[in-house]
């Protein structure tokens, strides 16, 4: 019997989930809710969903699985609304919210009187883009997809959900909701606060030091890229993970005081250790690997600002399978940027490195 999957919120995450589900299960009926007309129309035109509505209740009773892919606080409101709607016996409800404890608690509060399964979900991939127009079937490829079981997660619920989501090619990890929120406060929520604080500080500083506006380069850009994120989503995240985030902020305050003291004391050795430790830890963490996958191999080429450079390089590498390619801008005057080409295996990387070294004058290095 074919399943009906109900995607509530046809934004970036909801629409990308729908495409991923369809990839392995073309026989499923995928229906969608979206408040705004534009993403609803795009989702229908692009075949992301078979039918769409702006009324949550319309498909609720027909769904075997419901994915709530709206902002966190709206997810909580919809959990309450669902509790008052007729639903299929044993329906599985899940969500995509970036914080988990508040959502799991809401699900347990509103849904426990019914035969409803609930699993918290957080697909850990995204971008600054929004809406169905940004839908990407490969968005979750190799990304961690966190599942936070609840009191409403019966034994077969997680295998059922993973089976429906097999086409995402994501990496599923089960973790307690509170622990999820603690870990993400450190590696996601707090860095966002830091990035925006840096921007706000620079904004104030430039009033008296106008060159601040112009001299900011690579390092500052890398540190602050995420300050361009959507404020509504981040407000929602902070509002639902306050305790962990406040704890991270307080602890970081102590760290800043420590390094301040070292600088005041002119303790060169300790300052060196401070940077060295940061560098070592960064190398150990999975951020050095694409989406945490260690089976990728990167070649870096310093390229000049000349027409056709990239085409020439790709032509030389014809026949070698390339996983990814990107240009990292550089602020050095003599080079335009660093072309980063990712290969599947060591052999391809070594072959490519040899070709570029032998046949061009570009500087080449591997990570
Ligand atoms: P999006 O802006 O692309 O889509 C959000 C959707 O929610 C839209 O369809 C919008 O119409 C709907 N919506 C917003 N407010 C609503 C309201 N009050 N009532 C009804 N519908 C409303 O955002 P997205 O990136 O798809 O995010 C959706 C969820 O996924 C959020 O909970 C977010 O925390 C989570 N998430 C986002 C990312 C990311 O990087 N973008 C990553 C992982 C998880």
């Amino acid at each position: 019997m074919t399943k009906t999957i109900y995607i509530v919120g046809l934004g970036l995450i909801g629409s990308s989930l729908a495409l991923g589900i369809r990839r392995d299960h073309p026989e499923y009926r995928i229906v969608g809710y979206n408040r705004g007309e534009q993403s609803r129309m795009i989702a229908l035109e692009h075949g992301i969903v078979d039918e769409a509505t702006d009324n949550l209740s319309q498909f609720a009773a027909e769904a075997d699985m419901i994915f709530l892919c709206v902002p966190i606080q709206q997810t909580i409101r919809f959990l309450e609304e669902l509790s008052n709607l007729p639903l299929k016996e044993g329906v599985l409800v899940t969500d995509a919210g970036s914080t988990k404890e508040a959502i799991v608690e809401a699900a347990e509060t509103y849904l426990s009187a019914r035969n409803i399964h609930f699993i918290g979900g957080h697909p850990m991939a995204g971008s600054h883009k929004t809406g169905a127009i940004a839908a990407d079937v490969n968005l979750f490829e190799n990304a961690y997809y966190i599942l936070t079981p609840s009191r409403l997660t019966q034994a077969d619920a997680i295998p059922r959900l993973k089976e429906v989501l097999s086409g995402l090619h994501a990496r599923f990890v089960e973790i307690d909701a509170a622990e999820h929120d603690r870990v993400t406060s450190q590696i996601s929520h707090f860095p966002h606060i830091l990035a925006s604080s840096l921007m706000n500080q620079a904004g104030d500083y430039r009033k008296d030091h106008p060159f601040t506006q112009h001299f900011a380069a690579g390092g500052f850009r890398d540190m602050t890229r995420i300050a361009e994120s959507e404020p509504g989503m981040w407000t929602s995240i902070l509002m639902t993970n306050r305790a962990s985030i406040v704890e991270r902020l307080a602890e970081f305050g102590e760290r800043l005081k420590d390094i301040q003291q070292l600088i005041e004391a002119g303790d060169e050795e300790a300052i060196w250790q401070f940077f060295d430790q940061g560098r070592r830890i960064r190398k150990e963490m999975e951020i050095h690997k694409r989406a945490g996958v260690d089976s990728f191999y990167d070649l870096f080429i310093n390229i000049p600002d000349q027409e056709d450079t990239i085409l020439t390089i790709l032509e030389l590498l014809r026949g070698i399978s390339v996983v990814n390619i990107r240009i990292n801008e550089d602020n050095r005057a003599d080079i335009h940027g660093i072309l980063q080409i990712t290969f599947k295996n060591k052999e391809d990387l070594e072959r490519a490195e040899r070709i570029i070294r032998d046949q061009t004058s570009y500087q080449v290095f591997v990570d």
Side-chain angles (χ1 to χ4, degrees), residues 127-128 192 195 199 220-229:
S127 79
H128 56 284
H192 270 83
M199 285 317 313
F220 191 78
R221 187 186 48 218
D222 288 351
M223 285 287 298
T224 56
R225 180 181 60 79
I226 52 180
E228 289 195 27
S229 303

Side-chain angles (χ1 to χ4, degrees), residues 104-361:
V104 167
E105 272 173 21
E108 288 177 346
T109 305
Y110 297 125
L111 306 181
S112 55
R114 313 263 303 267
N115 180 15
I116 297 172
H117 303 266
F118 180 83
I119 306 169
H122 180 197
M124 292 191 76
S127 79
H128 56 284
K129 298 184 205 153
T130 58
I133 194 70
D136 176 1
V137 70
N138 295 316
L139 185 66
F140 308 111
E141 196 106 19
N142 288 322
Y144 283 117
Y145 194 123
I146 311 288
L147 299 174
T148 61
S150 70
R151 279 196 278 113
L152 307 180
T153 308
Q154 285 83 345
D156 69 331
I158 289 186
R160 262 172 73 198
L161 180 59
K162 284 187 187 169
E163 152 64 13
V164 166
L165 294 175
S166 61
L168 266 54
H169 306 158
R171 301 197 291 165
F172 295 98
V173 179
E174 286 167 47
I175 173 175
D176 168 68
E179 181 62 5
H180 165 277
D181 288 0
R182 282 191 286 270
V183 173
T184 50
S185 75
Q186 172 66 62
I187 47 97
S188 170
H189 311 162
F190 171 65
H192 270 83
I193 296 171
L194 206 51
S196 295
S197 301
L198 270 173
M199 285 317 313
N200 292 337
Q201 187 190 36
D204 287 343
Y205 207 61
R206 73 180 168 183
K207 290 177 196 148
D208 292 329
H209 305 274
F211 280 119
T212 306
Q213 178 81 3
H214 306 291
F215 290 173
F220 191 78
R221 187 186 48 218
D222 288 351
M223 285 287 298
T224 56
R225 180 181 60 79
I226 52 180
E228 289 195 27
S229 303
E230 209 276 304
M233 180 168 138
W234 283 94
T235 305
S236 224
I237 289 172
L238 261 53
M239 291 304 291
T240 50
N241 198 16
R242 285 158 51 200
S244 291
I245 292 169
V246 166
E247 192 188 283
R248 293 298 77 216
L249 282 167
E251 203 258 2
F252 198 76
E254 293 303 315
R255 281 176 192 273
L256 284 182
K257 272 188 220 144
D258 289 348
I259 182 68
Q260 183 179 343
Q261 276 168 12
L262 296 181
I263 296 166
E264 279 166 0
D267 188 340
E268 200 171 333
E269 167 63 21
I271 294 170
W272 189 90
Q273 292 293 348
F274 166 82
F275 282 119
D276 186 54
Q277 188 182 356
R279 181 173 59 172
R280 268 191 291 114
I281 295 170
R282 188 167 197 280
K283 281 194 187 298
E284 282 162 20
M285 281 181 74
E286 287 195 8
I287 38 179
H288 260 282
K289 302 159 191 166
R290 184 176 174 263
V293 176
D294 51 13
S295 54
F296 288 96
Y297 296 85
D298 289 323
L299 181 70
F300 298 88
I301 309 169
N302 286 353
I303 51 167
D305 187 8
Q306 276 166 13
E307 217 180 310
D308 289 350
T309 306
I310 296 174
L311 278 179
T312 309
I313 289 172
L314 290 180
E315 187 57 43
L316 288 170
L317 300 182
R318 189 187 278 274
I320 305 180
S321 158
V322 168
V323 175
N324 197 12
I325 181 162
R326 63 181 282 203
I327 303 167
N328 303 309
E329 288 169 64
D330 199 277
N331 55 337
R332 279 160 51 189
D334 57 332
I335 62 171
H336 169 59
I338 301 169
L339 183 65
Q340 177 180 357
I341 308 180
T342 309
F343 301 93
K344 256 204 272 258
N345 56 49
K346 200 159 176 270
E347 294 70 45
D348 285 354
L349 169 68
E350 286 171 354
R351 221 176 107 205
E353 188 190 358
R354 262 196 316 276
I355 292 172
I356 303 299
R357 276 195 203 288
D358 293 349
Q359 302 191 35
T360 75
S361 57

Side-chain angles (χ1 to χ4, degrees), residues 8-15 33-37 39-40 68-75 77-78 95-100 103 121-132 134 139-140 230 233-234 236-237:
V8 175
L10 296 169
L12 168 73
I13 299 293
S15 298
Y33 155 92
N34 204 66
R35 186 179 56 164
E37 190 182 2
S39 280
R40 219 167 44 237
L68 299 174
C69 305
V70 290
I72 300 165
Q73 279 144 330
Q74 191 56 32
T75 299
R77 283 192 281 273
F78 277 164
D95 77 297
S98 307
T99 57
K100 297 272 52 90
I103 289 175
H122 180 197
M124 292 191 76
S127 79
H128 56 284
K129 298 184 205 153
T130 58
L139 185 66
F140 308 111
E230 209 276 304
M233 180 168 138
W234 283 94
S236 224
I237 289 172

